[in-house]
Amino acid sequence: MSTEGGQDRDPEATPDLTRERARTERRDLDKERGEPLAAAGLRRASRSLRTRGRAVGDWSSPPWILVTNDDGIESRGLLALKAALDPIGRTVVVAPETNQSAVGHQKTLMRPLRVRERRLADGSLGWSVDGSPTDAVSLAFLGFFDHGFDLVASGINYGANLGDDITYSGTVSAAMEAVINGCPAFAISQEYYEHPDFTLAAAAARLVARNILEHGLARGELINVNVPAVRPEECEGIEVTRLGRRIYQDELVQRLDPRGIPYYWIGGPPPSGLAVPGTDFHAVVNRRIAVTPIHLDLTGRRLLRRLKTWDWTLELPEKGSGSA
Ligand code: MN
Protein backbone atom coordinates (compact mmCIF):
# COMPACT_ATOMS: atom_id res chain seq x y z
CA MET A 1 0.00 0.00 0.00
CA SER A 2 1.21 3.51 -0.67
CA THR A 3 0.33 6.83 0.89
CA GLU A 4 -0.94 9.96 -0.86
CA GLY A 5 2.63 11.05 -1.38
CA GLY A 6 3.14 7.91 -3.40
CA GLN A 7 5.92 6.63 -1.13
CA ASP A 8 5.80 3.49 0.92
CA ARG A 9 6.28 4.28 4.57
CA ASP A 10 7.16 2.07 7.46
CA PRO A 11 4.70 3.28 10.11
CA GLU A 12 6.99 2.00 12.87
CA ALA A 13 9.95 3.97 11.53
CA THR A 14 8.14 7.26 10.99
CA PRO A 15 5.49 7.64 13.66
CA ASP A 16 2.59 9.96 12.90
CA LEU A 17 1.55 12.57 15.42
CA THR A 18 -2.02 12.58 16.60
CA ARG A 19 -3.73 15.96 16.35
CA GLU A 20 -3.35 16.36 20.10
CA ARG A 21 0.37 15.67 19.99
CA ALA A 22 0.90 17.89 16.97
CA ARG A 23 -0.65 20.79 18.87
CA THR A 24 1.75 20.21 21.75
CA GLU A 25 4.75 20.17 19.44
CA ARG A 26 3.62 23.41 17.83
CA ARG A 27 3.20 24.99 21.23
CA ASP A 28 6.78 24.05 22.09
CA LEU A 29 8.03 25.57 18.85
CA ASP A 30 6.04 28.71 19.55
CA LYS A 31 7.91 29.37 22.78
CA GLU A 32 10.45 32.09 22.14
CA ARG A 33 13.14 30.12 23.86
CA GLY A 34 11.61 26.70 24.17
CA GLU A 35 12.87 24.70 27.11
CA PRO A 36 14.49 21.52 25.84
CA LEU A 37 12.37 18.42 26.34
CA ALA A 38 13.68 16.60 29.42
CA ALA A 39 17.27 16.12 28.30
CA ALA A 40 16.15 14.48 25.08
CA GLY A 41 19.67 14.84 23.73
CA LEU A 42 20.95 12.55 26.43
CA ARG A 43 18.48 9.83 25.63
CA ARG A 44 20.29 6.61 24.85
CA ALA A 45 18.95 3.63 23.04
CA SER A 46 19.18 0.26 24.71
CA ARG A 47 21.33 -2.32 23.00
CA SER A 48 19.44 -5.54 23.08
CA LEU A 49 15.73 -5.06 22.42
CA ARG A 50 15.71 -5.40 18.66
CA THR A 51 18.98 -7.18 18.12
CA ARG A 52 19.51 -10.78 19.02
CA GLY A 53 20.88 -11.13 22.51
CA ARG A 54 24.15 -12.83 23.36
CA ALA A 55 25.23 -15.07 26.21
CA VAL A 56 26.25 -12.89 29.13
CA GLY A 57 29.90 -13.96 28.83
CA ASP A 58 29.99 -12.72 25.21
CA TRP A 59 29.03 -9.12 25.96
CA SER A 60 31.95 -6.81 25.12
CA SER A 61 31.11 -4.79 28.25
CA PRO A 62 28.90 -5.85 31.13
CA PRO A 63 25.23 -4.97 30.55
CA TRP A 64 23.72 -2.02 32.40
CA ILE A 65 20.86 -3.25 34.57
CA LEU A 66 18.37 -0.86 36.17
CA VAL A 67 16.93 -2.26 39.40
CA THR A 68 13.68 -0.83 40.72
CA ASN A 69 10.54 -1.84 42.61
CA ASP A 70 7.27 -0.54 44.04
CA ASP A 71 7.86 -1.36 47.71
CA GLY A 72 10.33 1.50 48.08
CA ILE A 73 14.09 1.90 48.17
CA GLU A 74 14.38 0.46 51.67
CA SER A 75 12.80 -2.88 50.74
CA ARG A 76 14.91 -5.98 51.41
CA GLY A 77 13.44 -7.45 48.24
CA LEU A 78 15.04 -4.69 46.16
CA LEU A 79 18.42 -5.33 47.73
CA ALA A 80 18.06 -9.08 47.17
CA LEU A 81 17.32 -8.43 43.48
CA LYS A 82 20.35 -6.16 43.15
CA ALA A 83 22.58 -8.74 44.83
CA ALA A 84 21.24 -11.44 42.50
CA LEU A 85 22.08 -9.39 39.40
CA ASP A 86 25.41 -7.85 40.52
CA PRO A 87 27.39 -10.85 39.16
CA ILE A 88 26.01 -10.47 35.62
CA GLY A 89 25.99 -6.72 35.00
CA ARG A 90 26.44 -3.18 36.24
CA THR A 91 23.41 -2.63 38.44
CA VAL A 92 21.96 0.80 39.15
CA VAL A 93 19.19 1.22 41.73
CA VAL A 94 16.52 3.88 41.18
CA ALA A 95 13.39 3.26 43.22
CA PRO A 96 10.47 5.07 44.84
CA GLU A 97 11.18 6.74 48.17
CA THR A 98 8.06 5.22 49.77
CA ASN A 99 5.91 2.14 49.30
CA GLN A 100 4.01 2.55 46.03
CA SER A 101 2.30 -0.85 45.92
CA ALA A 102 -0.82 -0.95 43.72
CA VAL A 103 -0.25 2.46 42.15
CA GLY A 104 -0.31 0.80 38.75
CA HIS A 105 1.26 2.72 35.88
CA GLN A 106 0.87 6.12 37.48
CA LYS A 107 3.13 8.82 36.05
CA THR A 108 3.66 12.12 37.88
CA LEU A 109 3.05 15.06 35.55
CA MET A 110 1.56 17.80 37.72
CA ARG A 111 4.30 18.31 40.31
CA PRO A 112 8.08 18.21 40.42
CA LEU A 113 10.03 15.05 41.23
CA ARG A 114 12.79 15.12 43.84
CA VAL A 115 15.66 12.65 43.60
CA ARG A 116 17.90 11.81 46.54
CA GLU A 117 21.17 9.93 46.53
CA ARG A 118 20.94 7.06 48.99
CA ARG A 119 23.45 4.73 50.60
CA LEU A 120 22.00 1.22 50.32
CA ALA A 121 22.45 -1.44 52.99
CA ASP A 122 25.16 -3.16 50.88
CA GLY A 123 27.19 0.07 50.88
CA SER A 124 26.47 0.99 47.26
CA LEU A 125 24.82 4.18 46.05
CA GLY A 126 21.30 4.35 44.69
CA TRP A 127 18.68 6.99 44.01
CA SER A 128 15.22 7.42 45.47
CA VAL A 129 12.43 9.32 43.70
CA ASP A 130 9.43 10.81 45.49
CA GLY A 131 7.10 9.36 42.90
CA SER A 132 5.89 6.11 41.40
CA PRO A 133 7.84 3.15 39.98
CA THR A 134 7.04 4.48 36.51
CA ASP A 135 8.58 7.84 37.49
CA ALA A 136 11.76 6.08 38.62
CA VAL A 137 12.08 4.25 35.30
CA SER A 138 11.17 7.34 33.26
CA LEU A 139 13.83 9.33 35.04
CA ALA A 140 16.46 6.73 34.22
CA PHE A 141 15.54 6.71 30.53
CA LEU A 142 15.01 10.44 30.00
CA GLY A 143 18.57 11.50 30.63
CA PHE A 144 19.27 11.29 34.37
CA PHE A 145 22.21 9.02 33.52
CA ASP A 146 24.71 9.48 30.73
CA HIS A 147 24.13 5.91 29.54
CA GLY A 148 21.20 3.72 28.59
CA PHE A 149 20.21 0.37 30.04
CA ASP A 150 20.18 -3.13 28.59
CA LEU A 151 17.70 -4.59 31.07
CA VAL A 152 15.29 -3.39 33.74
CA ALA A 153 14.48 -5.65 36.70
CA SER A 154 11.61 -4.76 39.03
CA GLY A 155 11.07 -6.41 42.43
CA ILE A 156 11.42 -8.56 44.40
CA ASN A 157 7.90 -7.63 45.39
CA TYR A 158 6.44 -8.61 48.75
CA GLY A 159 3.36 -10.49 47.54
CA ALA A 160 2.52 -12.25 44.27
CA ASN A 161 1.41 -10.41 41.12
CA LEU A 162 -0.70 -13.06 39.42
CA GLY A 163 -3.36 -12.80 36.71
CA ASP A 164 -5.44 -9.63 37.06
CA ASP A 165 -3.02 -8.30 39.70
CA ILE A 166 -0.78 -7.00 36.94
CA THR A 167 -3.34 -4.28 36.17
CA TYR A 168 -2.74 -2.80 39.65
CA SER A 169 0.88 -3.71 40.12
CA GLY A 170 3.51 -0.99 40.40
CA THR A 171 6.13 -3.74 40.13
CA VAL A 172 4.87 -4.87 36.72
CA SER A 173 4.17 -1.29 35.60
CA ALA A 174 7.84 -0.39 36.13
CA ALA A 175 8.75 -3.18 33.70
CA MET A 176 6.07 -1.94 31.27
CA GLU A 177 7.56 1.55 31.42
CA ALA A 178 10.95 0.10 30.51
CA VAL A 179 9.44 -1.68 27.51
CA ILE A 180 7.74 1.55 26.40
CA ASN A 181 11.23 3.09 26.51
CA GLY A 182 12.54 0.31 24.27
CA CYS A 183 14.37 -1.71 26.93
CA PRO A 184 13.73 -5.37 27.81
CA ALA A 185 12.40 -5.90 31.31
CA PHE A 186 11.02 -8.33 33.83
CA ALA A 187 9.09 -8.08 37.07
CA ILE A 188 9.55 -10.53 39.94
CA SER A 189 7.27 -11.03 42.92
CA GLN A 190 7.16 -13.49 45.76
CA GLU A 191 4.10 -14.81 47.58
CA TYR A 192 3.78 -13.07 50.89
CA TYR A 193 5.56 -14.46 53.90
CA GLU A 194 6.05 -12.96 57.35
CA HIS A 195 9.83 -13.31 57.23
CA PRO A 196 10.69 -13.77 53.58
CA ASP A 197 13.73 -15.61 52.46
CA PHE A 198 14.79 -14.44 49.00
CA THR A 199 17.19 -17.28 48.09
CA LEU A 200 14.78 -18.92 45.66
CA ALA A 201 13.55 -15.66 44.11
CA ALA A 202 17.14 -14.44 43.71
CA ALA A 203 18.09 -17.60 41.79
CA ALA A 204 15.02 -17.17 39.59
CA ALA A 205 15.83 -13.50 38.95
CA ARG A 206 19.38 -14.30 37.87
CA LEU A 207 18.20 -17.03 35.50
CA VAL A 208 15.48 -14.85 33.94
CA ALA A 209 17.93 -11.96 33.50
CA ARG A 210 20.52 -14.20 31.83
CA ASN A 211 17.88 -15.62 29.51
CA ILE A 212 16.57 -12.21 28.48
CA LEU A 213 20.10 -10.88 27.87
CA GLU A 214 20.91 -13.99 25.84
CA HIS A 215 17.72 -14.27 23.79
CA GLY A 216 16.42 -10.68 23.73
CA LEU A 217 12.79 -9.60 23.77
CA ALA A 218 10.78 -8.09 20.93
CA ARG A 219 9.03 -4.74 21.04
CA GLY A 220 6.19 -4.71 23.59
CA GLU A 221 7.28 -7.86 25.41
CA LEU A 222 8.15 -8.32 29.09
CA ILE A 223 8.27 -11.20 31.54
CA ASN A 224 6.37 -11.48 34.81
CA VAL A 225 7.83 -13.90 37.38
CA ASN A 226 6.09 -15.17 40.51
CA VAL A 227 7.85 -17.20 43.17
CA PRO A 228 5.98 -19.44 45.64
CA ALA A 229 6.48 -18.95 49.37
CA VAL A 230 8.47 -22.17 49.82
CA ARG A 231 12.03 -23.02 50.77
CA PRO A 232 14.32 -23.60 47.76
CA GLU A 233 14.40 -27.37 48.38
CA GLU A 234 10.60 -27.51 48.34
CA CYS A 235 10.28 -25.74 44.95
CA GLU A 236 9.01 -27.90 42.08
CA GLY A 237 10.86 -25.96 39.35
CA ILE A 238 9.88 -23.36 36.80
CA GLU A 239 6.78 -23.35 34.58
CA VAL A 240 6.15 -21.05 31.62
CA THR A 241 2.53 -19.98 32.09
CA ARG A 242 -0.26 -17.70 30.93
CA LEU A 243 -2.07 -15.19 33.11
CA GLY A 244 -4.72 -16.70 35.36
CA ARG A 245 -7.88 -15.25 36.87
CA ARG A 246 -7.81 -13.66 40.28
CA ILE A 247 -10.80 -13.69 42.62
CA TYR A 248 -10.76 -10.60 44.81
CA GLN A 249 -12.50 -10.63 48.13
CA ASP A 250 -12.33 -6.89 48.74
CA GLU A 251 -14.73 -5.46 51.28
CA LEU A 252 -15.55 -1.82 51.87
CA VAL A 253 -15.00 -1.05 55.54
CA GLN A 254 -16.72 2.08 56.85
CA ARG A 255 -15.51 3.63 60.12
CA LEU A 256 -15.78 6.96 61.84
CA ASP A 257 -12.86 9.33 62.19
CA PRO A 258 -12.26 11.14 65.55
CA ARG A 259 -14.59 13.93 64.38
CA GLY A 260 -17.42 11.53 63.63
CA ILE A 261 -17.07 11.74 59.87
CA PRO A 262 -17.17 8.41 58.03
CA TYR A 263 -14.17 7.21 56.06
CA TYR A 264 -13.80 4.15 53.88
CA TRP A 265 -11.07 1.57 53.57
CA ILE A 266 -10.84 -1.17 50.96
CA GLY A 267 -10.17 -4.24 53.09
CA GLY A 268 -11.08 -7.90 53.15
CA PRO A 269 -9.09 -11.12 52.93
CA PRO A 270 -6.29 -11.55 50.39
CA PRO A 271 -7.35 -12.52 46.85
CA SER A 272 -7.61 -16.15 45.78
CA GLY A 273 -7.73 -17.35 42.19
CA LEU A 274 -8.83 -20.06 39.77
CA ALA A 275 -6.24 -22.84 39.78
CA VAL A 276 -6.58 -23.68 36.06
CA PRO A 277 -3.62 -25.73 34.74
CA GLY A 278 -1.30 -23.67 32.57
CA THR A 279 -1.88 -20.46 34.50
CA ASP A 280 0.51 -18.55 36.74
CA PHE A 281 -1.83 -19.04 39.69
CA HIS A 282 -1.91 -22.82 39.24
CA ALA A 283 1.90 -23.01 39.01
CA VAL A 284 2.48 -21.02 42.20
CA VAL A 285 -0.18 -22.98 44.12
CA ASN A 286 1.76 -26.11 43.08
CA ARG A 287 5.10 -24.77 44.34
CA ARG A 288 6.44 -23.88 40.93
CA ILE A 289 7.93 -20.54 39.84
CA ALA A 290 5.61 -19.03 37.21
CA VAL A 291 7.26 -17.28 34.25
CA THR A 292 4.59 -15.45 32.25
CA PRO A 293 5.16 -13.61 28.97
CA ILE A 294 3.28 -10.29 28.81
CA HIS A 295 2.62 -8.11 25.77
CA LEU A 296 1.74 -4.43 25.89
CA ASP A 297 -0.62 -4.80 22.94
CA LEU A 298 -3.84 -5.07 24.93
CA THR A 299 -6.05 -5.29 21.85
CA GLY A 300 -8.89 -7.78 22.36
CA ARG A 301 -8.51 -9.85 19.19
CA ARG A 302 -11.76 -11.77 19.56
CA LEU A 303 -13.68 -8.58 20.38
CA LEU A 304 -12.03 -6.86 17.41
CA ARG A 305 -13.61 -9.45 15.10
CA ARG A 306 -17.00 -9.11 16.83
CA LEU A 307 -16.93 -5.31 16.76
CA LYS A 308 -16.48 -5.43 13.02
CA THR A 309 -19.89 -7.13 12.75
CA TRP A 310 -21.68 -4.37 14.75
CA ASP A 311 -23.42 -1.40 13.12
CA TRP A 312 -21.14 1.63 13.27
CA THR A 313 -23.24 4.12 11.30
CA LEU A 314 -22.99 7.50 13.04
CA GLU A 315 -26.16 9.54 13.26
CA LEU A 316 -25.12 13.10 12.42
CA PRO A 317 -27.30 16.20 11.99
CA GLU A 318 -28.08 17.00 8.35
CA LYS A 319 -25.78 19.58 6.81
CA GLY A 320 -27.27 23.10 6.92
CA SER A 321 -29.67 22.33 9.79
CA GLY A 322 -29.22 23.66 13.30
CA SER A 323 -27.48 26.95 12.37
CA ALA A 324 -29.06 30.29 11.71
MN1 MN B 1 4.65 -3.94 46.27
Side-chain angles (χ1 to χ4, degrees):
M1 239 183 86
S2 64
T3 58
E4 284 176 15
Q7 285 178 323
D8 288 327
R9 290 167 66 231
D10 173 3
E12 308 228 331
T14 52
D16 282 311
L17 297 181
T18 61
R19 281 168 194 279
E20 180 185 36
R21 179 75 196 290
R23 253 198 329 264
T24 312
E25 301 274 305
R26 206 157 51 234
R27 191 192 62 207
D28 286 342
L29 287 176
D30 287 345
K31 284 181 190 163
E32 270 194 357
R33 279 182 174 278
E35 298 163 44
L37 295 171
L42 286 176
R43 212 178 287 223
R44 296 283 189 273
S46 60
R47 287 186 285 190
S48 59
L49 186 66
R50 266 159 244 158
T51 56
R52 263 188 83 89
R54 288 154 287 157
V56 173
D58 296 340
W59 286 64
S60 52
S61 58
W64 284 105
I65 304 176
L66 176 66
V67 181
T68 190
N69 74 348
D70 78 354
D71 293 332
I73 192 145
E74 286 168 6
S75 164
R76 288 208 301 119
L78 178 75
L79 207 64
L81 181 57
K82 177 183 181 290
L85 302 180
D86 276 337
I88 60 174
R90 291 173 282 187
T91 59
V92 177
V93 169
V94 185
E97 200 167 278
T98 56
N99 193 324
Q100 298 288 309
S101 292
V103 299
H105 206 159
Q106 173 178 292
K107 186 183 263 185
T108 302
L109 296 178
M110 307 305 278
R111 65 168 179 84
L113 290 171
R114 303 287 178 183
V115 183
R116 285 171 60 206
E117 202 173 277
R118 303 284 293 256
R119 179 74 59 186
L120 305 178
D122 67 355
S124 66
L125 282 182
W127 287 268
S128 68
V129 183
D130 66 343
S132 68
T134 293
D135 294 330
V137 174
S138 296
L139 198 89
F141 281 97
L142 295 178
F144 186 77
F145 300 104
D146 63 359
H147 58 81
F149 289 91
D150 302 297
L151 177 67
V152 172
S154 179
I156 300 166
N157 189 62
Y158 277 74
N161 278 304
L162 298 162
D164 307 287
D165 293 342
I166 71 162
T167 63
Y168 301 100
S169 170
T171 309
V172 178
S173 294
M176 289 178 171
E177 185 63 18
V179 168
I180 286 172
N181 281 280
C183 183
F186 70 98
I188 181 162
S189 308
Q190 178 168 292
E191 273 190 312
Y192 188 80
Y193 312 59
E194 292 275 304
H195 303 289
D197 173 78
F198 292 109
T199 315
L200 179 59
R206 199 157 42 236
L207 178 57
V208 170
R210 276 183 187 282
N211 265 328
I212 293 176
L213 290 168
E214 187 170 331
H215 299 285
L217 293 177
R219 192 196 304 260
E221 294 175 350
L222 58 136
I223 291 177
N224 186 37
V225 183
N226 279 279
V227 180
V230 297
R231 286 196 299 277
E233 63 272 20
E234 299 168 331
C235 178
E236 298 285 342
I238 293 184
E239 182 181 348
V240 175
T241 57
R242 64 178 191 274
L243 288 175
R245 277 252 314 278
R246 272 297 210 188
I247 297 172
Y248 296 102
Q249 306 178 76
D250 293 349
E251 289 164 7
L252 192 62
V253 179
Q254 180 187 325
R255 290 186 185 154
L256 294 181
D257 75 9
R259 292 179 183 82
I261 299 166
Y263 65 86
Y264 301 88
W265 199 299
I266 298 174
S272 65
L274 298 181
V276 176
T279 64
D280 52 1
F281 186 81
H282 183 264
V284 169
V285 164
N286 289 285
R287 298 168 176 247
R288 290 190 291 275
I289 296 166
V291 170
T292 309
I294 306 288
H295 203 290
L296 284 188
D297 181 352
L298 301 179
T299 309
R301 304 281 162 195
R302 226 174 296 171
L303 182 56
L304 178 72
R305 287 193 294 275
R306 278 181 59 215
L307 290 193
K308 286 185 171 173
T309 69
W310 295 5
D311 179 10
W312 294 106
T313 315
L314 266 181
E315 284 185 35
L316 294 172
E318 303 258 332
K319 270 186 188 161
S321 70
S323 61

